[in-house]
Amino acid sequence: MGVAGANPALDHRIARRGTMTGTNTMKTPQFFQLDSLDMRRLAEEAAAGLLAPGAAVSPKFFYDALGSRLFDAITALDEYYPTRVETSILAAQQAAVVDAVLSCSGPRPVLVDLGAGSCAKAARLFRSLHPRRYVAVDISVDFLREALEGLQREHPALELAGVGQDFSARLALPPGLADDAPAVVFYPGSSIGNFAPADALRLLGEARALCAKGGALLIGADLVKPVAVLEAAYDDPLGVTAAFNLNLLRRLNALLGADFDLRQWRHVALFDERHSRIEMHLEARRAVQVRWGSAGGATASKRAFAAGERIHTENSYKWRPEAFEALLREAGFSTVRRFTDPQGWFGVFVARA
Ligand code: AVI
């Protein structure tokens, strides 16, 4: 994830070319980087979060190269059910889900994938959805290049585009990518749960604008369930989620030139019933002083943390299905279809734009 808002003036477009392989035209993915990854602003944002009275750092700082690998490892844990359950819903009910989507968009929609990463989840829909174009959006096009080039070899005639954009700040695509046909916006993984409801509403409204010409949203959202199940998913006995959380301090050391000693901090994950969210924190094991320099661009500073004081690193909201459907309607979507697993742990929603 990144920092700057979308700025069409910064567009860096690499033109699409077609190459002839025998009698077939093999298309080439096109790439757009909409936000420049401004390390100075990132450093300033992180420093401001550390200095706030209730210290908090955005979860976007989790995802450096190691953090992304640790997140992949989390999705393989027995305790972390969201990825597994969502995949099982999309596999077992794929025909009904795709029918619901196509009944909104009509055949051959543009498929827009938010937070696409390896593009693997969306690629599983290609054979039933038959998109006319696949647009993968992630914070940096560099995360998408390899995946899209691999997909192009498997689907030589499919138009592919990669867009680098921090859609946590603003979602808007370059003209010509999703405005020439009904679009289906795909946002799996319950990543919407990492937004506070007001921010989720803003993002869903922008997603609706993308698919407003007779399209649909296909989105996964994690649902409320017993607290013990939720807390185990975010505090696994192997310590993978703890490592994922602590890695944020490593990232801050690199970004800010800070001197966090990871051994002085521990991972905390608790379900907050009032907000219906898992909260992740890093808690100081003893009184510590943290200093950082001006290397990253932020002003040199320091902060003392008392024993037990915490840095809030992530919220992961868990929705009641009716409340999530109400949120979709508030964002402007009309009919909503819901698909769940037998235990009702996870919801896949198809919302008409
Ligand atoms: C990416 N996101 C949906 C994950 C979640 O479940 O909120 C991030 C995560 N944090 C700890 N474990 C997984």
Side-chain angles (χ1 to χ4, degrees):
M1 306 181 78
V3 267
N7 179 355
L10 294 175
D11 282 10
H12 176 58
R13 181 176 163 160
I14 300 165
R16 179 181 54 233
R17 280 172 291 119
T19 51
M20 295 299 285
T21 53
T23 52
N24 297 323
T25 299
M26 164 112 159
K27 291 202 160 67
T28 306
Q30 55 181 335
F31 294 101
F32 304 80
Q33 180 64 47
L34 300 187
D35 302 332
S36 62
L37 292 175
D38 182 340
M39 299 315 270
R40 191 186 176 88
R41 274 185 60 184
L42 268 180
E44 278 167 5
E45 183 187 338
L50 287 177
L51 290 170
V57 177
S58 164
K60 71 184 172 196
F61 291 99
F62 284 141
Y63 299 95
D64 62 356
L66 179 57
S68 300
R69 291 167 87 164
L70 288 166
F71 178 67
D72 280 349
I74 286 174
T75 66
L77 294 169
D78 290 344
E79 294 80 10
Y80 191 76
Y81 60 84
T83 312
R84 190 176 60 249
V85 177
E86 182 185 50
T87 304
S88 74
I89 296 169
L90 286 171
Q93 303 179 62
Q94 183 162 144
V97 170
V98 168
D99 267 6
V101 168
L102 294 178
S103 76
C104 302
S105 67
R108 311 225 47 226
V110 175
L111 180 60
V112 178
D113 186 5
L114 302 184
S118 71
C119 308
K121 290 184 184 179
R124 282 183 217 129
L125 298 172
F126 284 4
R127 293 204 193 285
S128 50
L129 200 63
H130 302 293
R132 73 177 58 213
R133 183 183 305 124
Y134 171 59
V135 182
V137 186
D138 213 312
I139 183 64
S140 163
V141 281
D142 295 333
F143 296 169
L144 299 168
R145 259 174 228 289
E146 217 180 295
L148 287 179
E149 281 160 8
L151 273 182
Q152 193 76 85
R153 285 190 287 277
E154 284 170 42
H155 305 271
L158 180 60
E159 264 188 55
L160 299 177
V163 178
Q165 179 170 61
D166 179 11
F167 60 84
S168 71
R170 179 176 166 232
L171 172 66
L173 294 181
L177 285 188
D179 49 6
D180 56 345
V184 172
V185 176
F186 181 46
Y187 194 29
S190 195
S191 294
I192 194 70
N194 296 130
F195 291 85
D199 297 328
L201 186 62
R202 190 268 310 155
L203 176 58
L204 292 172
E206 289 170 356
R208 185 184 171 270
L210 279 186
C211 54
K213 288 188 182 148
L217 173 70
L218 171 56
I219 187 167
D222 197 14
L223 303 179
V224 173
K225 61 185 60 61
V227 172
V229 178
L230 287 169
E231 291 186 346
Y234 291 83
D235 195 3
D236 61 279
L238 203 52
V240 182
T241 312
F244 173 72
N245 199 9
L246 285 160
N247 179 57
L248 186 135
L249 300 181
R250 219 183 115 263
R251 177 94 196 272
L252 294 181
N253 282 348
L255 185 69
L256 291 172
D259 63 355
F260 279 103
D261 176 350
L262 275 59
R263 286 165 301 193
Q264 294 180 336
W265 296 83
R266 72 179 191 97
H267 165 67
V268 175
L270 294 167
F271 186 63
D272 175 346
E273 302 262 4
R274 193 163 66 91
H275 294 100
S276 194
R277 68 189 188 197
I278 284 281
E279 290 187 2
M280 294 211 316
H281 299 261
L282 290 162
E283 184 179 283
R285 292 180 189 272
R286 57 186 72 89
V288 285
Q289 171 104 253
V290 181
R291 295 171 187 277
W292 56 94
S294 51
T299 312
S301 196
K302 64 182 179 192
R303 170 154 186 175
F305 291 88
E309 204 176 338
R310 292 174 178 175
I311 303 172
H312 191 164
T313 53
E314 186 176 58
N315 292 318
S316 192
Y317 284 81
K318 308 302 166 190
W319 289 90
R320 295 192 186 283
E322 303 72 22
F324 192 69
E325 287 169 8
L327 185 76
L328 291 170
R329 291 207 179 82
E330 204 182 334
F333 291 97
S334 55
T335 53
V336 180
R337 290 272 318 268
R338 183 201 314 166
F339 301 85
T340 55
D341 53 293
Q343 296 185 99
W345 278 11
F346 196 94
V348 170
F349 298 82
V350 176
R352 187 185 285 271

